[in-house]
Amino acid sequence: MDAQATSVLNRIIRRIPNKNIENLLKKWNSLSADQLRALDYTRPKWMIVEHVINFCEENRLNLKHITNLEMIYHIENPDQGTWHACQLAEAQDDAVCVELTQFKEQFKLSNPTKLFFHLRIQSSKHEDEAIWIRIAWGDNFSKPNHLKPTYVVHHLHTSYVFISNLMAKHKIFLCQALVIATKHGSIKDGHLSTRSLTAMRDLLLRHYQQVFPNAHSRIPQERKTLSSHPCIGKEHSDHEEMRHQMSCEAFGHSPSPKLETAVYRLETRYRGNGNHTLSDREEFFRGVVRFSSSSLLDSLRHCVASGMAEGPVTPLLSAITQRGRNYFVITDKGPGVSSQASAPRA
C-alpha cells in the first residue's frame, strides 16, 4: 500500500473503540477469517494498526479497499463532523423516476473537468436506503486528497442533500453534479447545520413524533382565582395540559431530533423611549443570539410545558421544526412600524 492508503487506514482504526474494531473489519470483508482471529483487540491501537497494515499488504489491498472501509465506518457512525443541509428545487417531471444506477451514471458524467479523481457511490443497507457519496478532490496539478474527503448523503426522491467537509471552491462543482443526477433545476442552502446527521435527517424528513393541533387546543389565559375556589385544581390541570399541547405542537413529542444549536442574526433598530441617541440612530444594531443545549428542542419544549416560558410559542422558535432550520436572520421592517421583528428569513 502507498503512504496515503496507510494514513487513511491508520486514522480509521484509531477513531474506533477497541471493542468495535472486530465488527467493522468483518463488515469490510477484506481480511480472511484466520487473519481476523489472529488480531488481539485488547492490545494498544498502534499494534493493532501495524497488524492490519501487514494483513492488507499480504492481501495486496489498495487505496480503493481502504476508502471502502472508511465509508463503512461513516455509514455505521453518521454523527461525525459537521453536516450541512441543502435543498433541491425545480424538480423535472421525471425526477421521481431516478433510480440508483441512473443516479450514479449521471453523477459521474456531470464531471467533465475530472475535478474529483476518486469517487465512490454506495447505497447504505439500512432501512433508510440512503445514497452515500465519498469524494476525494484533486485536479490536474494535485493528487486527490483522501485525508479530507467530502461526504454526501441523499435519499432518492426527496429534496434534501446532506453534505460534510466541503470546501467553498468545490461547492459549485458538487451542486452541478447533484442537480444533474437528481434531475432538478437548482439547489440552495438549507440553513441547517449540526454534528448529528441523524438529527438533521429526522427533522427534515419528519422522522419524529409530531403533534398537531386538535379541536381542544387553545391558548391558555391566566385567570384571577382565589385559593379557596373549589375548581382551582382542575383549572391548574387544564393550564398544564394546554402548555404541554403547545410545547409538543411546536417542538414535537419527546424524544425530538437532537439539535444542539440555533442561531439568530439580528439586524434591528433600537425602539426604547428612554434614549434618544439610540432611538434616532439610522444604522442597524447587529448582533447574534445563540441557543445551545445537548438537545435544544427537548429543552425548549420543557421550558414551555413547565411554564418557564410564556405561551403561545413565538414563531422565531417554532420555525426550527416547521421550517427545518437552525439559522435565521431577523431584520427590522423600518421606521414607522411596530417593534415586532420581521419573520425569519435566510
Side-chain angles (χ1 to χ4, degrees), residues 78-93:
D79 300 337
Q80 305 282 336
T82 301
W83 292 87
H84 301 272
C86 292
Q87 187 171 12
L88 297 162
E90 304 173 19
Q92 300 177 13
D93 294 339

Side-chain angles (χ1 to χ4, degrees), residues 17-297:
N18 285 39
K19 61 181 180 180
N20 298 334
I21 295 177
E22 183 177 6
N23 289 332
L24 183 69
L25 294 179
K26 286 181 178 179
K27 292 179 180 179
W28 187 30
N29 199 29
S30 293
L31 301 182
S32 67
D34 291 337
Q35 290 172 333
L36 291 174
R37 283 193 295 268
L39 291 172
D40 185 355
Y41 303 101
T42 62
R43 292 190 175 187
K45 280 285 181 66
W46 66 270
M47 296 184 67
I48 299 177
V49 170
E50 283 190 356
H51 282 88
V52 173
I53 291 175
N54 291 334
F55 291 149
C56 291
E57 291 177 346
E58 289 179 11
N59 297 347
R60 297 184 179 180
L61 302 183
N62 54 32
L63 182 60
K64 181 178 180 180
H65 297 94
I66 304 303
T67 57
N68 185 40
L69 174 63
E70 186 191 67
M71 179 169 276
I72 294 173
Y73 168 75
H74 278 281
I75 292 175
E76 295 294 325
N77 303 271
D79 300 337
Q80 305 282 336
T82 301
W83 292 87
H84 301 272
C86 292
Q87 187 171 12
L88 297 162
E90 304 173 19
Q92 300 177 13
D93 294 339
D94 55 347
V96 295
C97 302
V98 176
E99 299 297 337
L100 177 60
T101 303
Q102 184 181 7
F103 177 90
K104 288 182 178 181
E105 293 176 353
Q106 292 297 319
F107 193 92
K108 294 176 180 178
L109 291 174
S110 64
N111 179 36
T113 60
K114 303 296 181 186
L115 186 69
F116 38 85
F117 274 52
H118 197 279
L119 173 67
R120 284 195 63 82
I121 302 177
Q122 181 173 326
S123 177
S124 65
K125 296 180 181 179
H126 293 263
E127 294 180 358
D128 56 13
E129 291 297 331
I131 297 175
W132 282 73
I133 304 172
R134 182 188 188 276
I135 303 174
W137 297 95
D139 53 36
N140 294 327
F141 305 100
S142 61
K143 294 181 179 180
N145 187 354
H146 287 276
L147 295 176
K148 295 182 179 180
T150 296
Y151 273 90
V152 183
V153 180
H154 174 58
H155 297 255
L156 281 177
H157 311 142
T158 69
S159 59
Y160 296 105
V161 180
F162 312 116
I163 304 172
S164 176
N165 195 31
L166 176 65
M167 297 180 65
K169 65 180 182 179
H170 296 145
K171 185 175 181 179
I172 185 173
F173 301 102
L174 177 59
C175 290
Q176 177 186 359
L178 288 170
V179 165
I180 294 174
T182 59
K183 295 187 180 298
H184 282 73
S186 62
I187 186 171
K188 60 182 180 180
D189 189 355
H191 301 285
L192 176 65
S193 62
T194 177
R195 292 184 176 274
S196 174
L197 173 62
T198 304
M200 176 181 290
R201 180 180 55 206
D202 291 349
L203 179 63
L204 292 177
L205 301 183
R206 306 296 180 181
H207 291 169
Y208 66 96
Q209 187 175 353
Q210 302 176 73
V211 178
F212 300 96
N214 56 43
H216 303 289
S217 299
R218 61 187 187 280
I219 299 175
Q221 298 178 356
E222 298 294 335
R223 302 177 185 176
K224 294 181 179 180
T225 57
L226 299 176
S227 59
S228 60
H229 196 285
C231 297
I232 190 170
K234 182 179 184 303
E235 185 174 356
H236 285 177
S237 177
D238 290 343
H239 279 283
E240 183 178 353
E241 181 181 348
M242 284 186 288
R243 288 197 302 267
H244 178 74
Q245 175 71 20
M246 282 194 304
S247 65
C248 291
E249 289 176 8
F251 307 112
H253 199 279
S254 181
S256 301
K258 289 190 176 182
L259 295 181
E260 296 180 348
T261 61
V263 178
Y264 296 83
R265 195 178 75 190
L266 310 179
E267 298 177 359
T268 57
R269 287 188 172 89
Y270 180 78
R271 295 280 173 187
N273 297 322
N275 191 324
H276 294 290
T277 302
L278 295 178
S279 60
D280 294 339
R281 181 187 176 107
E282 294 184 0
E283 296 181 2
F284 288 115
F285 284 96
R286 293 177 171 83
V288 175
V289 177
R290 177 186 295 268
F291 293 88
S292 299
S293 173
S294 58
S295 182
L296 181 61
L297 296 180

